[in-house]
Amino acid sequence: MSKQFTYTISHIRFDENYQPADSTRLTTNFANLARGDNRQENLRKTLAMINNRFNDLAHWDNPTADRYSVEVDIISADLDIEGNGNTFPVIETLKTTIVDHKENTRIDGMIGNSFSSYVRDYDFSIVLPEHFANHPESAPPADFGDLHGKLFQHLLNSEAYQANFHKQPVICLSVSSSKIYQRTGNEHPVLGVEYRQDEYSLTDDYFHKMGLTVRYFMPAGSVAPLAFYFAGDLLRDYTDLELISAISTMETFQKIYRPEIYNANSTAGHIYQPSLKYQDYSLTQIVYDRAERSQMAVTQGKFTEDEFIKPYQAILDEWAANYVVTSETIQKEAAKKRAA
């Protein structure tokens, strides 16, 4: 049955002329910015922020802070369940490419960065609220996120992914406002100071089912730690420039989307709890509709239920019951591909 589950990978450049694809979730950061009267100005300013932050972190041999620029591509993975050409857009991420203007070269940046998933909308906006409505004092269902996690791992182990990308993705998200983070003595030259917490958030657990673990780092010049989700070894498997491309891209989106945390006017302390109620922060000059983003998540979750979950429920249940793959398996397959 797994042979019927095939993926098609497509690329769209995120630049000042970007128009969201019909299949793109409208709550996705990059799609939200590309709408309305200010769309082109939004996009131009966002890209400038990414480039400025990249050059700020990649400061060696870069005296005028303009050696590099970052190109961003939106990577969409469409899943054909039955092998009949009918697909559903399961996952979107970002792929960066670094342009070195001094050497006139192009360098692979990070694959992953942002993470967009209709099935995640379904899980968090449909499944979870219904569960808590019926069981208000209980934990999330034991199988919460199982299907999504297996679909993600299946994508990474697919021929389509491995033909396009040679490394595993690193997803970079905001830290949870419900948890407390404590600064450690560990400091990485690019990722910065590491933070830890005693208890994983629901998002952390959800990504763990995708085969990803998490570490929290606050890069130099940042005011709050970022959550980095990865398989393998975050500090060993990626170059400094790859890590900087992820930081500059995702910190920019977080400054726009969550300025209370990532554009705050003071830096996170040794013990830190993020808060969206924090008042001492600065706004960017970029228009972002957070209210619409929240409302649309439910609409998109319902769309997923009607167009993906219910029509293919029996197939998905049987496939998930029989499909077993771990992040270790994915790493071994990727290593074999690189060696070949």
Side-chain angles (χ1 to χ4, degrees):
M1 176 177 290
S2 63
K3 291 183 179 179
Q4 295 176 332
F5 279 51
T6 57
Y7 294 91
T8 303
I9 304 290
S10 60
H11 305 239
I12 298 178
R13 177 60 50 86
F14 178 75
D15 57 19
E16 64 182 58
N17 299 311
Y18 164 66
Q19 296 281 356
D22 291 339
S23 60
T24 292
R25 295 164 62 247
L26 296 181
T27 56
T28 303
N29 287 331
F30 43 82
N32 190 297
L33 296 174
R35 304 171 67 201
D37 296 337
N38 299 310
R39 59 172 306 279
Q40 197 163 47
E41 184 178 1
N42 279 348
L43 296 170
R44 191 178 297 120
K45 288 179 177 178
T46 299
L47 293 166
M49 287 178 65
I50 293 172
N51 289 335
N52 290 339
R53 182 60 168 139
F54 189 98
N55 283 287
D56 176 44
L57 289 169
H59 52 78
W60 59 93
D61 292 334
N62 190 7
T64 54
D66 60 359
R67 175 173 176 171
Y68 302 101
S69 60
V70 180
E71 294 176 353
V72 182
D73 286 300
I74 299 163
I75 308 300
S76 300
D78 294 341
L79 173 61
D80 183 345
I81 287 184
E82 296 179 302
N84 59 11
N86 294 325
T87 63
F88 185 83
V90 286
I91 287 169
E92 278 187 325
T93 62
L94 298 178
K95 170 69 171 66
T96 59
T97 301
I98 304 151
V99 181
D100 184 340
H101 298 286
K102 178 182 177 182
E103 299 296 333
N104 195 27
T105 56
R106 297 169 59 81
I107 307 163
D108 277 343
M110 191 68 75
I111 172 67
N113 303 289
S114 180
F115 182 76
S116 173
S117 165
Y118 276 111
V119 179
R120 186 170 64 160
D121 280 338
Y122 167 72
D123 282 339
F124 278 91
S125 298
I126 303 296
V127 174
L128 210 56
E130 288 182 357
H131 172 79
F132 286 139
N134 295 323
H135 310 280
E137 303 299 324
S138 68
D143 62 352
F144 181 70
D146 284 359
L147 172 63
H148 182 268
K150 290 184 176 183
L151 287 171
F152 179 78
Q153 293 190 61
H154 184 255
L155 169 63
L156 298 194
N157 207 36
S158 69
E159 292 181 3
Y161 182 90
Q162 295 185 17
N164 281 273
F165 311 108
H166 302 297
K167 290 191 178 182
Q168 301 306 297
V170 173
I171 310 298
C172 182
L173 303 180
S174 170
V175 286
S176 172
S177 59
S178 66
K179 303 301 178 184
I180 296 175
Y181 300 83
Q182 186 164 352
R183 190 181 300 186
T184 72
N186 188 39
E187 184 170 359
H188 184 269
V190 169
L191 292 169
V193 177
E194 184 166 19
Y195 278 74
R196 289 179 184 162
Q197 58 157 311
D198 293 333
E199 182 182 13
Y200 284 147
S201 68
L202 183 58
T203 297
D204 296 338
D205 287 335
Y206 194 80
F207 275 75
H208 182 71
K209 290 191 175 184
M210 296 161 57
L212 305 179
T213 189
V214 63
R215 293 177 75 170
Y216 314 94
F217 286 92
M218 185 169 70
S222 301
V223 297
L226 292 158
F228 295 87
Y229 297 89
F230 58 95
D233 190 327
L234 179 65
L235 308 189
R236 184 193 64 193
D237 296 343
Y238 303 93
T239 67
D240 288 349
L241 292 182
E242 284 175 317
L243 294 172
I244 291 173
S245 72
I247 296 166
S248 59
T249 301
M250 296 314 299
E251 189 177 85
T252 292
F253 283 127
Q254 294 297 350
K255 283 183 176 181
I256 297 167
Y257 171 49
R258 287 189 164 173
E260 299 92 339
I261 297 175
Y262 290 98
N263 217 28
N265 294 325
S266 58
T267 304
H270 281 77
I271 298 176
Y272 174 63
Q273 181 169 11
S275 174
L276 293 174
K277 297 180 180 180
Y278 189 66
Q279 296 297 310
D280 186 18
Y281 64 92
S282 299
L283 290 171
T284 67
Q285 298 179 10
I286 298 169
V287 178
Y288 191 99
D289 193 336
R290 291 204 302 190
E292 181 190 53
R293 186 183 193 276
S294 177
Q295 295 163 2
M296 285 297 296
V298 178
T299 302
Q300 293 170 168
K302 183 61 177 174
F303 165 77
T304 306
E305 182 178 41
D306 293 340
E307 300 296 325
F308 184 68
I309 300 297
K310 286 184 175 179
Y312 300 110
Q313 186 77 67
I315 296 175
L316 291 169
D317 287 347
E318 183 181 353
W319 175 83
N322 292 283
Y323 184 75
V324 178
V325 66
T326 65
S327 57
E328 182 180 358
T329 301
I330 293 171
Q331 291 292 318
K332 288 180 179 178
E333 290 300 320
K336 289 180 183 178
K337 179 177 176 62
R338 289 195 296 269

